[in-house]
Amino acid sequence: MACPISNEPDAHEDRSNPSRLNYTSYLQLNKLLDCVTLATADAEGGPIHDEHMFITIHQVYEIWFKQIIHELDSIMKFFRNDNVDERNMLLIISRFNRINMITKILVEQISIIETMTPLDFANFRPFLQSASGFQSYQFRLIENKVGIKAENRITYNKHSYMDGITDSEIYKKVDAAEKADTLIELVDGWLSRTPGLKDDDFNFFTYYSIGVERYLCDLEYEAEALEDHAEKDIALASFNKIKESFMTILHKDKHDDCVRRGIRRLSHASLIGGVFIWSYREEPRFHMPYQLMSLFMEFDTLFIKWRHSHAQMVQKMLGNKIGSGGSSGYYYLRATASDRYKVFLDLCMLPTFVLPREYIPKLSQRMRTRLSVCLTES
Amino acid sequence: MDIVNNNCSGNKQNGSSQNAPSGLNYASYLQLDKLLDCMRPVTAQTPEGMVHDEHLFITVHQVYEIWFKQLLHEINSIMDFFAASFVDESKMLLIISRMNRINLILKILIDQFAIMETMTPQDFADFRPFLQSASGFQSFQFRLIENKLGIKSANRIRYNQQSYCEAITDEDRLREVKQAEGEPTLIELVDRWLSRTPGIADRDFNFFTAYSVQVGRYLMNLKYEAEIITDDTARVTAIASYTKIAESFDSILKTDTHNECVKRGDRRLSHTALIGGILIWSYRESPRFHLPYQLLALLMEFDSLLIKWRHSHAQMVQKMLGNKIGTGGSSGYYYLRATASDRYKVFLDFATLPTFVLPREYIPILSRIMRRRLSVSVNSDD
């Protein structure tokens, strides 16, 4: 029975019309729905009812992870070009938005596994041996592709996350993803190429620095002018903090120092690019880039919500029990719900560096024209 | 070599040795190799290569089907409990938590449409032709769910002039689906359970009789209050309203009037079961009726959620296809929209219970024996 579309001999089980695709064959349902094998199937006392849901929900997560990887890969492909074709921005944004919508469902789904009681879980948990979500290679692929740094990771049971991956082919893939260009690096490159950063038309960095000096000068003056001593002290202390923070963006070496210390990730140029886009987000050419940056931040937030909800659920199921090997699954998971696992953290800091409206440098006429059209070739 | 296994001290049930090839790991437990290999986009075979969004299309449908399988697992277990001639009341907590789980899953299934909606109609049009006549109408698991709940064949709407059975071409699956239609359905099992509610008409308490008397009193007072209204228009309105209410109570007080409703298809529950439902609602604060009352609420919520699912599905399809005529001459959207109706509601009668529950002051007072009976659960024949 030759199928005109696919070379798969078993791509269709439609006996009435063997060469036509139907719903079951298209989705490979006979194979898909045959992947549930309870570990308690042969247990004394019979299979445990809730194990079915336990398997189902993990399988659903993994199918969604595969989808997220599919979208991520396509987005990263767009960013790999030296100049991102701006006509692709709508597509990039809609795909990233899709990733975030999927992640929202992944967070909501946790409520389904919470319908299982810890006592019911305890009935089949021993049969799971040492199978653990820690071994999910697709989750690691997502983490690595986005750009979670190996040195920021928290070890579990003194294991690096790679220890959980035993298949050598997959190991290579996950390792390669860690070493290849990550999304954050590609975005860094893209941001640092923002038109107008430091070229002949407009030198945003120079004008920005001037704007910062003016702003700081006015801030200091207002603080000094306060008559009440206590208020003046507070205002001056506040001013000094603000000044310090601006210094880390005005002086590249201070910024690089932050990067070295691990508290910042983006390059100096791309951070300035981010400030630039935020400052002039109402210029047409910056509309989509601004939306995209918001989506990146939303991604970080949603993923950390997932980690947190996951940890809460595990605590309910296991308590703080020490697992095999001497660590608590809950403590490990809770520790990963932290800024160490946020990739686009620097974008959250942009509000700190964007000047109040009245200090934002005015765009030159040429620059305003440049930012009103999109270039479709490099 | 599984390093994680090696370093883990044994809480293991089977005492696997260090290099146990049969040791379960995450990927083998979930059969991920097989599961993730089910992604076969049709457009991958074309010269232009895979249409990007087809991957999403397949993913979303596969996720729905995996959840349908889970729903069937839960529904089957609940029906097993109700199939016993007496439902062990100690199982009520379990029944309710599983019903609640079903409803939670349905909520996620509704929210998931938002993900499919990130695909534009134009992107869908790029790969739709390759789907030939594959259609969700052919989902045998969805039919199984519908049949096990108790959706009546006679109430179904045809699509493309086909009955849903014609769309299921695998003989074994078709047999399974047809069998579910013929066996006792969830609504039928719940009917039997409701009919056995203690106190409907037994030696300790005859709710039906007491209820009928109180309905008589209530209607009499309603009529009196209507007739003494001095303003003509207001009186006419009030009397008309009273007449309607009296008619509706008539259909519960008289078994044959009720049976007429059933014959016409306006009602499904047997007369006794309906009285049982009113009984539970009227005395839901008695401990023994707490969980039964929750269960009735969950069954109604289920109907609502499934119809919301149908409606959301129809809305999404309209965006993807418009009202276009599909293969065979019908519009998918019109068909789906038509199924988002009361014809596909199974527990519709529960929604009408408020009509028959008397105002608090008319609800018959429980006898002392009855009050005691309703404060304890019994595990065996009552």
Side-chain angles (χ1 to χ4, degrees):
Chain A
M1 286 183 283
C3 172
I5 298 294
S6 147
N7 289 328
E8 289 295 312
D10 63 344
H12 44 80
E13 293 86 6
D14 184 337
R15 267 161 256 172
S16 68
N17 209 338
S19 64
R20 286 188 75 74
L21 212 57
N22 71 20
Y23 182 81
T24 299
S25 59
Y26 178 57
L27 302 175
Q28 310 247 319
L29 290 188
N30 289 336
K31 187 165 148 192
L32 187 86
L33 302 177
D34 191 45
C35 294
V36 178
T37 303
L38 301 190
T40 59
D42 299 319
E44 225 181 274
I48 303 288
H49 178 86
D50 279 7
E51 193 191 352
H52 195 285
M53 183 197 52
F54 186 76
I55 292 176
T56 287
I57 199 164
H58 282 94
Q59 290 181 334
V60 167
Y61 272 113
E62 289 292 330
I63 288 180
W64 281 123
F65 289 166
K66 186 182 199 322
Q67 186 62 39
I68 289 177
I69 291 169
H70 178 71
E71 303 299 341
L72 254 184
D73 282 346
S74 82
I75 291 166
M76 287 170 71
K77 219 163 147 198
F78 285 127
F79 277 104
R80 253 178 218 119
N81 299 323
D82 279 339
N83 278 293
V84 178
D85 186 340
E86 285 174 58
R87 281 175 307 178
N88 287 325
M89 279 306 280
L90 181 66
L91 205 57
I92 292 170
I93 282 181
S94 75
R95 286 181 190 176
F96 212 86
N97 178 56
R98 178 180 291 169
I99 290 176
N100 288 357
M101 296 226 67
I102 291 172
T103 311
K104 281 183 191 137
I105 293 286
L106 295 190
V107 172
E108 278 179 51
Q109 262 184 201
I110 291 177
S111 67
I112 296 179
I113 206 170
E114 284 175 332
T115 62
M116 176 174 73
T117 66
L119 307 146
D120 288 314
F121 182 48
N123 282 337
F124 65 88
R125 190 191 177 208
F127 293 82
L128 305 180
Q129 299 177 32
S130 56
S132 155
F134 190 75
Q135 301 156 350
S136 163
Y137 70 85
Q138 291 201 119
F139 193 71
R140 300 305 175 206
L141 271 175
I142 294 172
E143 288 182 318
N144 286 356
K145 283 172 187 277
V146 170
I148 285 173
K149 283 178 138 169
E151 61 258 33
N152 284 356
R153 286 179 178 280
I154 293 172
T155 56
Y156 173 52
N157 273 352
K158 301 194 192 65
H159 287 302
S160 114
Y161 77 100
M162 289 303 269
D163 293 343
I165 296 165
T166 48
D167 179 303
S168 54
E169 284 305 309
I170 292 175
Y171 187 99
K172 273 190 224 139
K173 261 175 98 173
V174 176
D175 193 49
E178 203 194 296
K179 305 197 160 81
D181 283 340
T182 62
L183 180 61
I184 177 78
E185 284 161 10
L186 294 170
V187 167
D188 192 309
W190 168 71
L191 277 175
S192 62
R193 295 190 302 267
T194 306
L197 271 190
K198 49 180 187 314
D199 48 37
D200 304 326
D201 277 351
F202 189 68
N203 193 316
F204 174 68
F205 186 57
T206 304
Y207 291 123
Y208 171 73
S209 308
I210 295 171
V212 168
E213 297 291 345
R214 274 186 52 219
Y215 172 58
L216 289 176
C217 189
D218 289 348
L219 262 189
E220 186 173 23
Y221 178 76
E222 278 161 31
E224 296 280 4
L226 289 170
E227 291 183 356
D228 178 271
H229 283 304
E231 271 184 46
K232 179 152 69 175
D233 283 346
I234 293 171
L236 279 176
S238 166
F239 159 75
N240 278 316
K241 273 216 181 70
I242 293 173
K243 183 176 176 181
E244 245 176 72
S245 139
F246 271 107
M247 289 305 117
T248 66
I249 190 158
L250 291 187
H251 300 286
K252 185 172 182 299
D253 41 314
K254 287 210 164 65
H255 168 87
D256 290 345
D257 206 45
C258 290
V259 173
R260 229 188 321 273
R261 287 202 327 265
I263 52 181
R264 247 178 237 181
R265 259 189 98 161
L266 290 178
S267 67
H268 185 246
S270 70
L271 196 59
I272 299 292
V275 175
F276 189 25
I277 292 172
W278 270 51
S279 303
Y280 303 100
R281 60 192 174 279
E282 278 146 29
E283 304 303 318
R285 199 164 172 199
F286 281 171
H287 287 175
M288 301 298 260
Y290 176 74
Q291 281 190 350
L292 187 55
M293 284 162 66
S294 301
L295 287 174
F296 288 148
M297 286 190 283
E298 189 188 43
F299 173 86
D300 260 349
T301 306
L302 288 170
F303 251 80
I304 211 174
K305 273 188 186 155
W306 185 86
R307 291 178 191 277
H308 179 82
S309 303
H310 184 216
Q312 293 304 304
M313 185 273 301
V314 164
Q315 186 185 40
K316 270 191 272 197
M317 289 301 156
L318 302 180
N320 306 349
K321 268 190 241 155
I322 306 297
S324 46
S327 311
S328 150
Y330 165 66
Y331 286 134
Y332 161 74
L333 291 172
R334 194 180 67 178
T336 65
S338 77
D339 282 356
R340 297 173 73 126
Y341 282 75
K342 270 194 176 185
V343 162
F344 300 100
L345 193 56
D346 292 346
L347 297 182
C348 295
M349 291 189 326
L350 288 181
T352 331
F353 299 127
V354 173
L355 289 166
R357 210 174 265 284
E358 59 269 32
Y359 293 95
I360 295 179
K362 295 237 181 312
L363 289 176
S364 66
Q365 188 58 43
R366 276 184 79 166
M367 201 58 209
R368 193 162 316 116
T369 308
R370 262 183 94 188
L371 294 189
S372 66
V373 294
C374 287
L375 279 180
T376 57
E377 53 188 87
S378 42
Chain B
M1 198 161 82
D2 190 337
I3 300 173
V4 177
N5 262 334
N6 279 344
N7 290 344
C8 289
S9 51
N11 270 351
K12 285 182 269 200
Q13 198 77 343
N14 303 331
S16 328
S17 63
Q18 285 216 329
N19 295 334
S22 58
L24 218 53
N25 71 18
Y26 183 81
S28 62
Y29 178 56
L30 301 175
Q31 302 197 44
L32 291 187
D33 284 350
K34 188 167 155 189
L35 187 85
L36 301 177
D37 191 50
C38 294
M39 168 62 66
R40 301 297 178 95
V42 199
T43 56
Q45 312 288 330
T46 63
E48 296 86 19
M50 174 174 64
V51 174
H52 179 87
D53 278 9
E54 193 190 351
H55 195 286
L56 176 75
F57 187 75
I58 291 174
T59 288
V60 172
H61 283 93
Q62 287 182 335
V63 167
Y64 272 116
E65 290 291 333
I66 287 179
W67 280 123
F68 289 166
K69 186 181 198 313
Q70 186 60 39
L71 286 177
L72 285 164
H73 181 72
E74 303 299 340
I75 289 169
N76 283 337
S77 83
I78 291 171
M79 287 173 73
D80 280 345
F81 285 129
F82 277 106
S85 54
F86 276 93
V87 178
D88 183 351
E89 282 177 55
S90 63
K91 295 283 181 269
M92 279 306 280
L93 181 66
L94 205 57
I95 292 171
I96 284 190
S97 75
R98 288 182 190 174
M99 199 60 224
N100 181 58
R101 176 180 293 169
I102 287 173
N103 288 357
L104 225 49
I105 291 173
L106 270 178
K107 283 183 186 135
I108 295 286
L109 295 191
I110 292 168
D111 290 341
Q112 264 184 199
F113 282 118
I115 298 178
M116 187 67 115
E117 283 171 337
T118 62
M119 176 173 73
T120 66
Q122 298 100 306
D123 288 314
F124 182 47
D126 281 343
F127 64 89
R128 191 191 178 206
F130 294 90
L131 305 180
Q132 297 177 28
S133 55
S135 153
F137 190 72
Q138 300 156 349
S139 164
F140 71 85
Q141 289 200 120
F142 192 71
R143 299 305 171 209
L144 258 181
I145 291 171
E146 288 183 316
N147 286 354
K148 280 175 184 275
L149 290 175
I151 284 172
K152 284 176 140 174
S153 202
N155 286 355
R156 285 182 179 278
I157 293 171
R158 294 167 77 82
Y159 173 53
N160 274 349
Q161 277 126 25
Q162 261 191 336
S163 112
Y164 76 96
C165 283
E166 292 167 61
I168 299 166
T169 48
D170 181 304
E171 284 152 26
D172 291 327
R173 306 286 191 195
L174 182 59
R175 203 176 308 127
E176 222 188 317
V177 170
K178 280 213 162 111
Q179 200 176 340
E181 217 189 296
E183 284 174 343
T185 61
L186 181 59
I187 176 80
E188 285 162 14
L189 294 172
V190 167
D191 193 306
R192 292 181 205 170
W193 168 71
L194 275 177
S195 309
R196 297 192 301 266
T197 306
I200 291 179
D202 54 38
R203 58 157 209 279
D204 284 341
F205 189 63
N206 192 316
F207 175 69
F208 186 55
T209 303
Y211 172 75
S212 307
V213 167
Q214 291 298 88
V215 166
R217 279 188 55 219
Y218 171 60
L219 290 177
M220 199 173 73
N221 289 343
L222 262 189
K223 184 174 188 204
Y224 175 74
E225 274 158 32
E227 282 171 348
I228 63 173
I229 295 175
T230 47
D231 176 85
D232 284 330
T233 329
R235 185 174 65 247
V236 165
T237 310
I239 291 178
S241 165
Y242 153 78
T243 310
K244 273 217 180 71
I245 295 174
E247 254 172 52
S248 124
F249 271 105
D250 197 59
S251 73
I252 185 122
L253 293 184
K254 302 222 180 63
T255 317
D256 12 323
T257 316
H258 167 86
N259 291 340
E260 277 301 307
C261 294
V262 173
K263 232 191 311 272
R264 282 201 317 264
D266 295 341
R267 254 178 228 175
R268 262 191 94 162
L269 289 179
S270 67
H271 185 249
T272 317
L274 200 53
I275 300 295
I278 296 170
L279 177 57
I280 290 171
W281 268 55
S282 303
Y283 306 101
R284 60 192 176 278
E285 279 145 28
S286 306
R288 198 165 173 199
F289 282 169
H290 286 175
L291 291 177
Y293 177 75
Q294 282 187 343
L295 184 58
L296 295 184
L298 285 172
L299 291 170
M300 280 193 286
E301 188 188 40
F302 176 86
D303 256 351
S304 294
L305 290 170
L306 196 52
I307 214 176
K308 272 186 191 156
W309 186 89
R310 295 180 192 276
H311 179 83
S312 303
H313 185 213
Q315 294 304 302
M316 189 270 301
V317 164
Q318 185 184 40
K319 268 193 270 200
M320 290 301 157
L321 302 180
N323 305 348
K324 270 190 241 165
I325 306 296
T327 47
S330 311
S331 151
Y333 165 66
Y334 286 132
Y335 162 74
L336 291 172
R337 195 180 67 178
T339 64
S341 78
D342 282 356
R343 296 173 73 126
Y344 282 75
K345 270 196 173 178
V346 164
F347 302 101
L348 193 55
D349 292 344
F350 295 166
T352 59
L353 285 180
T355 329
F356 300 124
V357 175
L358 288 166
R360 207 175 267 282
E361 59 268 31
Y362 291 93
I363 295 179
I365 310 260
L366 289 173
S367 66
R368 185 134 57 95
I369 294 177
M370 202 56 209
R371 203 175 315 126
R372 191 121 55 86
R373 263 179 93 190
L374 295 187
S375 66
V376 294
S377 293
V378 181
N379 280 353
S380 54
D381 294 22
D382 191 3

